[in-house]
Each structure stands twice: as structure tokens, then as C-alpha cells.
Amino acid sequence: PQAANSQAVAAYIAANPLATQIDPTKVVAVGDSTTWGYNAGNQVAENMVTTAQKALGSDYSVSNLGINSSGAGTVVLNYGMNEAYRNEDPATFAKNLLTAVQTLQAVGKKVILQTPNSTGASTKPEDAWTQNVGAYADIVRDVAKQTGTTLDDKFTYTSTLTNATSSADIVHPTAATYGLLGT
């Protein structure tokens, strides 16, 4: 998250008393396009969040992109891919992620940090940034360790998969990989 995003989350929690009510059956997945389920210009019907909803069952509510986050007891943060793309300063990324986690923990939220998924190989100059994604995954791991946060290491997991990303898009997971990530 950028500093403005962290400040917006803190302001929302301060202004909304419902934000501090915890319901462990409500889960909000907050993140980038890989959380949303982007592939080839569209949102795939079977993405990480819809698959997680099916796996948890009807006793849970899993919201994508934090739209219904006011009563969530668990917040899933998935960052690093867009920050690598924008070449965000790693120290700034670490500071902002740490602030977001601590802000959520301060109001009793269970936070799950997800590393960005690994990317496919490319020889295109415009894809050179993808080689830096692992460094941002390392930062997410460090913040999880510092804060005692649960870590979902998508980077390591997807690194072991064959054809984890689309051949047309080396960044976003295939529908099958989204399904595995959600489960």
C-alpha cells in the first residue's frame, strides 16, 4: 500500500465504529489484480477469492477487494506485484506494509499476508521488472515475521508450479492456478 492508502484505512477504522467489531466468519481479500482475478483483460469466474469462498463454505463470507470490509475479522493483504512494476522503493514498501498490518492488528483484525505470485519467464525488455518480484516477496515475508502475521507464500508455491501463469500474460495466474491459490 502507498502511504495514502494506509492513512485511508486508519481514517476509516477511526470513523467507523463497526470496523472494530470482529466477526471471524467474515474474510476480506485486499490486494491487486491477482486478488481480483484478472486474466486476459477480464475477471475470471473461478479466481482465488471465489475458490476460497467455496472451500470455506456458506458459514463464511469472503469479499473480494475489501468492498464489504467493515465487519471483517480477517484481512488478507496481497501486495508486491504492482509495487515491483512501479519500481517502488523497497524501504517505502516495507514501511507502508508494516503500517497497514499494525493498523489492522491494533483494532483486532487477524491479518494474513500473501506474497505476490511468481511470474513467468520473458525475454521482452518491457517485462524486465518481473525479475524484481521476488525481492518484494522477501519484504512481505519479513513484515510477516516482524508482526507475527500469518504468511501465505504464494511466490514460493507458484514457483514450483508448471504453467502457473498464462503464456499471453506472464504476470497473472491461469484459472487453474487461481483455483489452487484459493484452496
Side-chain angles (χ1 to χ4, degrees), residues 71-143:
T74 302
V75 178
V76 179
L77 296 175
N78 171 353
Y79 288 103
M81 189 71 71
N82 289 324
E83 290 73 15
Y85 176 72
R86 290 190 307 266
N87 197 27
E88 182 175 317
D89 174 59
T92 300
F93 173 65
K95 179 184 173 203
N96 291 339
L97 185 59
L98 181 63
T99 299
V101 170
Q102 290 173 333
T103 299
L104 291 164
Q105 288 177 328
V107 294
K109 306 296 183 186
K110 177 181 177 173
V111 178
I112 299 172
L113 285 177
Q114 292 182 324
T115 59
N117 56 276
S118 63
T119 59
S122 175
T123 58
K124 297 177 186 175
E126 64 268 23
D127 293 336
W129 68 271
T130 62
Q131 300 305 309
N132 297 328
V133 173
Y136 290 85
D138 288 341
I139 293 168
V140 174
R141 289 184 198 102
D142 289 345
V143 170

Side-chain angles (χ1 to χ4, degrees), residues 33 36-44 164-166 168-169 172-175 178:
S33 55
W36 184 75
Y38 177 93
N39 193 296
N42 299 300
Q43 184 178 34
V44 293
T165 58
S166 166
D169 176 352
H172 296 94
T174 61
Y178 274 126

Side-chain angles (χ1 to χ4, degrees), residues 37-61:
Y38 177 93
N39 193 296
N42 299 300
Q43 184 178 34
V44 293
E46 293 293 322
N47 59 57
M48 181 177 68
V49 176
T50 59
T51 305
Q53 175 68 68
K54 288 177 186 174
L56 289 170
S58 62
D59 290 340
Y60 284 81
S61 168

